[in-house]
Amino acid sequence: MIYQPFSPLEPSAIADFLDFHDSNFTQTALSPAQVQQAAHLSEAIGWPEQRWQVYRSALGVLGFGQWLQDCAPELNVEAALGSISLSQPAAAHWISAACNVRVGDFRLCLLAVGSMPDETVNIPAAALVLPEWSAHFYVLVEVLEEQDQVAVTGFLTYDTYRQQQARQPLPMTADGSYELPLSWFQADPEALLLQLRCLDSAAIALPTAPTLPLPDPAAVRQTLMALQDPFLQPLGHLLSGTEILTLLHTPALLSWAYERAIAPQSSAQPAARPAAAIPSLINVAHWLERQLDEVAATLGWVLLPSPGLAAWRSLRSEFAPIRTALAEQGLDIPTGASGAYRELRWSDGSARLYALTWLLTAQAETAEWTLLIVLERSPHPRSSRLTLTVRDETQPLFEQALDAQGAIYTQVIGEVGERFWVTVAASDNTVFEMPPFGFEINAELGPE
Amino acid sequence: MKNIVSSASQYWQLLRLDATGKPRRQLLPSAQSYFQQQFSNGEDLLEPSDARVQRQLWAEWRSRTTDPPSAPELCLRCYISHQIQQACWQLAQQFGSRNGFEVGELLPYVLEDEGRSRPGRTYQPFGVQVLQTFEPSKGSLAAWTIHHVKQHSEIKQFLLQHGVYLISDWALLNDTNAPQIRRILAQMYQLTPLEIEQSCGMLESFHRVYREERRQQRLTGDKQPCQPPTPDQLRRMVADLQAQGQRVPTPEGLLAQLGAIASQVRRYRIAVRGGFVSTVSLDQPDAPPIADRPIAEPEDAGINEFLSFYQDQFLQCLDVAVAQAVRDRVSELQRKKSAPNALFLDALHRFHCQGQPMGEIAHHIGYGYQSKVTRLLRLNELRTQIRQIALAQLRHQVLDRAKLYVDRDRLQSLDQRVDQILDEQLAGVMEEASAESRVPTNDQPQKSLLARRICQYLDTLATSQ
């Protein structure tokens, strides 16, 4: 017998019987392989508290998919974990709801709930406000983790939500979610099945634009940049509700924030770096056409102006010493080169990070490009040590520290398709992470 | 108020299962004479409280463990057997009709004491295990027994298979978050803010340590119910509490506190569930659908027109749906390995074609209890699947879907109307040409449209094999 502590506090043995949990007819068991799959998915999450939520959510998705497979196999279910929000580490890092679950023509958002009865359902505001996160059906999936069982306990359609919200407007909570009354949900899984099978998707209109005014992404980025190593906390501690929405609505920004969030872990375990499914890359191919790519622009990089422009002359005076110093080291920057820079600021100092790029050979298949990184710090009385690190997909390539005023540089060479990650760390625990630099021809600029 | 006679006789009549699996009382003379001797003053039986009786019997038993079992031991074992039945009866009362099982199905797992001696065998009957772990200081023997019936792994497994589940303290704590515990402790127990924050802190430390380890355990593919936290886990929780600046208990103290929080949460859950939603018994397959469905609108003329216009297509779709739903169910049974297909199809045929009641079907297919048949067939669900698949198929065939399939309320009404039609027994709205319809046999009641189509399909299956 498995021993459970016998509590003499139990009022009477009879009352014990009432605390059985009773699932409805949709109760479905998960196989050990499915549980493992859910646990593996959650491994990619950098933040411990969130791992459990994502794990539970993944159990809900797999269980829901199994239930549909058993009772309505003719429905085309893409509940396998590929396309949903849980599979995108940058999103799942903060949002544990499983959005973008596709069943036939419908989009579903699955909300995992536990065995504890509650009068409200917590749902991230993004799932109700942002078009790309919204769903025709919001489905409550009860996850009994201990027994690997899942049941469908209720659902809410988007149009019903809009009607209810209009009648009884709910405020957004501080952490960017809504607490919807359980009574808004219909506790009839058969009705859900009927609609999934027979309803025209046109019956439920989804928003085509965010239903709330959102702050500008650049402003949100500023807010985040002003914070130091903050990202192991829930988003609600860092940003307001609508700022969170902007973050989730802007993939490049989300990706950048995510890279920052996982940076402390990644320095400890470089091999365990999860691949961000949302493509984020600073594509320097654009720079050679005197254009800043979208990702870099979002992150505050400034393109070095072409010679001849007024701006160049002032910048040239700043960059000139660097250029001279490099030339003395035997490194000449060709006239065809292009580049950009960004400012870095932390508690007790500031620096400027330059990235310059040019092609070494121009043949399409074997094109080689180079990236020159220069880190130049401003003078400051009490400044912490600054460390520049560059690595490629598999290993670190360069690491050097800069204590006082001055500059350090490094140059890497890569083929088309290769990527390099650049990190700048200040010894007050500030880490500047950014998406990798790459050279891609005809690649999509960032997500969407 | 206890009936002295029946309650006393529990101490000398052993409840056990006979060869057919039915419970029977067996009088144990040595136990009876011992008990009457100890607890009477010559003529009349005294009215000792159970607590006093148990304390005395227990002390007597412990003072001399003999083989064959002593009279005090037999007395206690008899009493335990009655409590075991009581526990099973309560479970069946509470969940049996809704979840499809009877008390007789539970008893074999736990009512296994035959009153015999146990010469050094490793496996002891459940009743003996209960006795061996009991101490009067732990409370009443009844509560102790019932508690252990609930914890019995096969009972839990059986209940789980029937949708009933006793969540462990630790899984419960896993599923309870800080805002919930705050609310519960404030509203139900009126604790002070300081006490609430302390409990909250302990819960969150528990989460931080326990959840991560549990999750990692699941990575390996291991499956087991949530175990009590290990001493190492408790130490880490204490360290976490310290790091949070909270008051720090000892690991043992923390374990006790967490258990107390779990108890508080359980009582809250019981209180919240106080009123039970009335549900449909699975024994009545033709009962109306689930209570939550909205009340049907008054006759929607558009729907009747629609169904009338597409009558032929609907009947075709119905047949397709019957075939598909039965096939899907067979696949599900295969996947879950819950019952052989042949058994399912046989039971289905008996119900729909031969009109046999559940009890008779149970007898024919070798199931001991009709609740088991009900559970196998899940007729309400099958009916729903058929109906929905038929409507989905029809949607592909009709030209003007805009009216009924693009409006959720009208779709619901259409579904309800079809449900009524499937129930219709007389040649009515939906009866097709007589060449196709099955002539009901003489001594069978007129079957509903749905039953006839299912029966027709099953007969086709049988003849094609």
Side-chain angles (χ1 to χ4, degrees):
Chain A
M1 299 191 291
I2 295 175
Y3 178 71
Q4 299 279 1
F6 178 73
S7 165
L9 298 176
E10 301 285 350
S12 84
I14 310 296
D16 282 345
F17 286 107
L18 296 178
D19 191 28
F20 277 91
H21 188 94
D22 203 351
S23 280
N24 65 28
F25 73 94
T26 67
Q27 182 178 336
T28 302
L30 290 162
S31 69
Q34 285 167 329
V35 175
Q36 257 181 309
Q37 196 182 351
H40 270 294
L41 183 87
S42 63
E43 277 285 276
I45 304 298
W47 170 27
E49 267 102 337
Q50 185 71 347
R51 282 199 280 264
W52 177 263
Q53 305 301 337
V54 169
Y55 159 63
R56 211 175 61 156
S57 210
L59 289 174
V61 171
L62 288 168
F64 180 79
Q66 184 66 64
W67 172 64
L68 278 185
Q69 182 64 33
D70 281 338
C71 71
E74 79 279 9
L75 287 175
N76 185 14
V77 180
E78 288 177 33
L81 297 171
S83 61
I84 61 176
S85 61
L86 280 189
S87 299
Q88 297 166 16
H93 186 82
W94 284 300
I95 305 291
S96 65
C99 295
N100 203 38
V101 175
R102 298 200 172 259
V103 178
D105 291 336
F106 291 107
R107 233 174 31 216
L108 274 60
C109 177
L110 303 186
L111 305 165
V113 296
S115 59
M116 275 299 292
D118 222 343
E119 286 159 4
T120 62
V121 178
N122 183 285
I123 177 169
L128 294 168
V129 169
L130 302 177
E132 68 277 17
W133 283 81
S134 67
H136 298 92
F137 299 98
Y138 299 85
V139 182
L140 296 178
V141 180
E142 173 190 82
V143 176
L144 300 179
E145 191 274 336
E146 183 175 40
Q147 294 293 348
D148 302 341
Q149 304 267 357
V150 158
V152 177
T153 55
F155 72 99
L156 171 68
T157 58
Y158 189 80
D159 54 339
T160 304
Y161 158 72
R162 289 309 298 261
Q163 282 166 22
Q164 296 279 20
Q165 179 77 335
R167 217 175 287 154
Q168 181 193 341
L170 294 173
M172 202 189 304
T173 64
D175 67 347
S177 63
Y178 287 104
E179 292 285 339
L180 302 184
L182 189 62
S183 56
W184 287 13
F185 289 79
Q186 194 178 344
D188 185 359
E190 288 189 343
L192 175 64
L193 275 178
L194 177 67
Q195 291 174 37
L196 288 175
R197 280 176 154 133
C198 298
L199 196 66
D200 250 41
S201 56
I204 303 174
L206 293 181
T208 48
T211 59
L212 288 177
L214 302 183
D216 186 54
V220 175
R221 183 178 60 80
Q222 292 287 14
T223 309
L224 286 172
M225 281 203 56
L227 303 169
Q228 286 178 34
D229 192 18
F231 291 97
L232 291 181
Q233 301 171 42
L235 271 182
H237 292 202
L238 316 173
L239 299 173
S240 72
T242 47
E243 286 177 327
I244 293 171
L245 288 174
T246 294
L247 182 70
L248 295 170
H249 190 50
T250 317
L253 188 57
L254 179 64
S255 192
W256 169 77
Y258 173 62
E259 309 264 331
R260 266 195 80 173
I262 63 166
Q265 280 84 14
S266 69
S267 57
Q269 290 182 317
R273 186 189 192 86
I278 296 178
S280 66
L281 170 76
I282 298 177
N283 189 356
V284 301
H286 292 262
W287 296 9
L288 292 182
E289 292 162 23
R290 300 295 175 200
Q291 268 181 12
L292 206 53
D293 66 292
E294 187 181 309
V295 176
T298 314
L299 303 178
W301 286 79
V302 178
L303 198 65
L304 287 172
S306 338
L309 295 179
W312 174 248
R313 272 195 289 276
S314 67
L315 197 63
R316 203 167 85 160
S317 60
E318 291 165 350
F319 194 68
I322 297 176
R323 182 185 280 270
T324 315
L326 289 172
E328 278 168 14
Q329 308 266 340
L331 204 159
D332 283 314
I333 303 174
T335 43
S338 182
Y341 70 91
R342 63 172 282 201
E343 307 285 354
L344 306 175
R345 268 182 206 88
W346 64 95
S347 63
D348 56 1
S350 65
R352 185 178 280 184
L353 183 68
Y354 293 92
L356 290 106
T357 184
W358 62 94
L359 277 176
L360 293 176
T361 64
Q363 271 111 349
E365 291 88 55
T366 59
E368 276 190 331
W369 60 289
T370 186
L371 184 70
L372 171 68
I373 298 289
V374 181
L375 182 66
E376 183 198 33
R377 67 185 299 170
S378 335
H380 206 273
R382 283 174 305 113
S383 253
S384 23
R385 159 177 289 202
L386 210 56
T387 310
L388 172 67
T389 313
V390 180
R391 52 188 181 82
D392 70 9
E393 226 128 356
T394 54
Q395 59 182 340
L397 302 170
F398 171 88
E399 185 170 308
Q400 193 173 334
L402 184 60
D403 288 309
Q405 175 189 359
I408 51 176
Y409 75 96
T410 183
Q411 185 184 14
V412 291
I413 297 173
E415 292 175 5
V416 170
E418 276 195 77
R419 298 176 181 205
F420 302 100
W421 280 261
V422 175
T423 310
V424 178
S427 59
D428 70 338
N429 286 327
T430 305
V431 180
F432 300 99
E433 271 272 15
M434 55 211 83
F437 291 85
F439 194 102
E440 318 259 311
I441 305 164
N442 297 326
E444 279 184 345
L445 263 182
E448 281 169 34
Chain B
M1 295 298 288
K2 281 188 186 157
N3 182 329
I4 302 164
V5 173
S6 67
S7 122
S9 69
Q10 287 185 354
Y11 286 96
W12 64 73
Q13 288 178 352
L14 182 69
L15 203 61
R16 45 181 294 194
L17 297 177
D18 66 14
T20 66
K22 298 282 178 279
R24 298 220 179 284
R25 287 170 215 270
Q26 178 184 347
L27 186 83
L28 302 183
S30 59
Q32 180 176 24
S33 60
Y34 177 82
F35 187 91
Q36 287 174 335
Q37 188 186 64
Q38 292 289 313
F39 297 108
S40 74
N41 57 356
E43 287 293 311
D44 310 309
L45 268 180
L46 300 173
E47 290 182 32
S49 68
D50 274 318
R52 215 203 102 202
V53 167
Q54 287 159 19
R55 254 199 314 278
Q56 182 172 332
L57 289 171
W58 187 81
E60 266 299 309
W61 166 56
R62 294 298 284 210
S63 72
R64 44 161 174 145
T65 45
T66 59
D67 179 45
S70 63
E73 181 181 335
L74 287 175
C75 286
L76 290 170
R77 280 162 69 171
C78 287
Y79 181 80
I80 286 172
S81 70
H82 287 268
Q83 303 319 310
I84 290 174
Q85 185 195 42
Q86 175 78 354
C88 294
W89 183 80
Q90 297 235 355
L91 283 171
Q93 236 237 328
Q94 179 136 355
F95 298 106
S97 68
R98 175 167 141 101
N99 296 74
F101 65 89
E102 296 169 43
V103 62
E105 299 183 74
L106 293 171
L107 291 174
Y109 296 114
V110 281
L111 201 62
E112 27 175 40
D113 191 357
E114 295 177 344
R116 292 203 219 117
S117 62
R118 34 184 175 91
R121 298 177 125 228
T122 44
Y123 181 77
Q124 301 289 354
F126 177 68
V128 175
Q129 292 178 35
V130 170
L131 178 60
Q132 283 174 338
T133 53
F134 174 70
E135 281 167 44
S137 58
K138 288 179 175 168
S140 80
L141 185 54
W144 184 253
T145 308
I146 292 171
H147 176 82
H148 281 282
V149 169
K150 278 177 8 185
Q151 301 295 344
H152 191 276
S153 56
E154 285 172 295
I155 291 282
K156 289 208 285 194
Q157 195 56 37
F158 178 92
L159 289 175
L160 183 64
Q161 281 162 4
H162 291 75
V164 182
Y165 157 55
L166 182 61
I167 189 170
S168 71
D169 281 355
W170 315 109
L172 191 58
L173 291 179
N174 259 352
D175 270 0
T176 308
N177 59 36
Q180 281 174 323
I181 198 78
R182 276 199 195 96
R183 206 177 56 240
I184 293 170
L185 295 179
Q187 285 174 14
M188 188 163 172
Y189 296 93
Q190 282 112 37
L191 297 188
T192 66
L194 180 64
E195 288 168 318
I196 292 174
E197 281 319 300
Q198 279 172 358
S199 288
C200 236
M202 287 188 280
L203 182 66
E204 287 179 318
S205 289
F206 172 81
H207 284 166
R208 275 189 281 271
V209 174
Y210 195 86
R211 279 175 169 178
E212 181 63 11
E213 286 214 0
R214 169 113 185 132
R215 196 193 59 86
Q216 285 186 0
Q217 197 185 62
R218 304 323 303 275
L219 272 178
T220 65
D222 285 348
K223 175 194 160 86
Q224 60 170 326
C226 290
Q227 302 299 310
T230 62
D232 177 62
Q233 285 174 336
L234 288 167
R235 267 195 296 276
R236 279 186 280 137
M237 291 177 206
V238 166
D240 181 89
L241 276 171
Q242 193 157 34
Q244 302 290 322
Q246 299 255 2
R247 205 189 70 168
V248 172
T250 62
E252 301 75 33
L254 178 61
L255 182 66
Q257 299 260 33
L258 289 171
I261 294 174
S263 289
Q264 287 168 323
V265 172
R266 274 197 202 285
R267 264 176 270 166
Y268 164 79
R269 287 157 55 92
I270 288 168
V272 156
R273 285 214 192 98
F276 289 93
V277 178
S278 77
T279 53
V280 174
S281 164
L282 289 177
D283 283 324
Q284 297 161 38
D286 289 326
I290 296 175
D292 266 337
R293 194 156 285 172
I295 317 281
E297 296 284 311
E299 283 266 308
D300 186 332
I303 287 176
N304 281 330
E305 256 174 40
F306 173 83
L307 287 171
S308 175
F309 185 77
Y310 288 108
Q311 186 165 304
D312 293 336
Q313 290 91 330
F314 175 72
L315 288 170
Q316 280 174 30
C317 292
L318 180 60
D319 286 339
V320 169
V322 166
Q324 188 173 328
V326 172
R327 272 200 309 269
D328 290 346
R329 178 65 69 82
V330 164
S331 297
E332 186 188 344
L333 287 172
Q334 269 171 343
R335 185 187 77 77
K336 292 181 178 173
K337 299 188 178 69
S338 30
N341 306 344
L343 210 64
F344 167 72
L345 293 170
D346 184 19
L348 206 61
H349 190 274
R350 287 177 185 278
F351 184 84
H352 290 101
C353 299
Q354 301 168 44
Q356 287 179 5
M358 289 295 179
E360 203 179 318
I361 296 177
H363 174 72
H364 281 291
I365 68 173
Y367 274 12
Y369 296 91
Q370 79 179 44
S371 50
K372 217 173 157 186
V373 181
T374 311
R375 192 98 190 142
L376 170 69
L377 291 178
R378 284 156 53 205
L379 289 173
N380 267 348
E381 280 176 61
L382 188 65
R383 179 200 181 89
T384 302
Q385 305 301 4
I386 291 172
R387 201 174 64 238
Q388 291 185 358
I389 295 171
L391 281 174
Q393 293 284 328
L394 186 61
R395 178 172 168 249
H396 292 311
Q397 297 199 20
V398 304
L399 301 170
D400 181 13
R401 340 207 277 234
K403 286 197 297 253
L404 294 179
Y405 286 97
V406 189
D407 180 307
R408 285 190 297 117
D409 292 329
R410 298 202 79 198
L411 178 62
Q412 199 73 35
S413 301
L414 174 62
D415 183 60
Q416 281 167 339
R417 183 72 190 109
V418 168
D419 198 28
Q420 290 169 354
I421 287 168
L422 291 179
D423 247 345
E424 277 168 13
Q425 299 187 343
L426 303 173
V429 172
M430 271 290 150
E431 202 55 75
E432 73 282 30
S434 59
E436 299 258 330
S437 71
R438 180 174 165 75
V439 176
T441 49
N442 286 345
D443 54 337
Q444 302 295 341
Q446 273 275 13
K447 295 202 217 82
S448 67
L449 171 62
L450 178 61
R452 265 179 275 125
R453 302 315 272 213
I454 291 177
C455 181
Q456 192 158 346
Y457 170 70
L458 291 174
D459 281 341
T460 324
L461 262 193
T463 55
S464 70
Q465 275 161 11

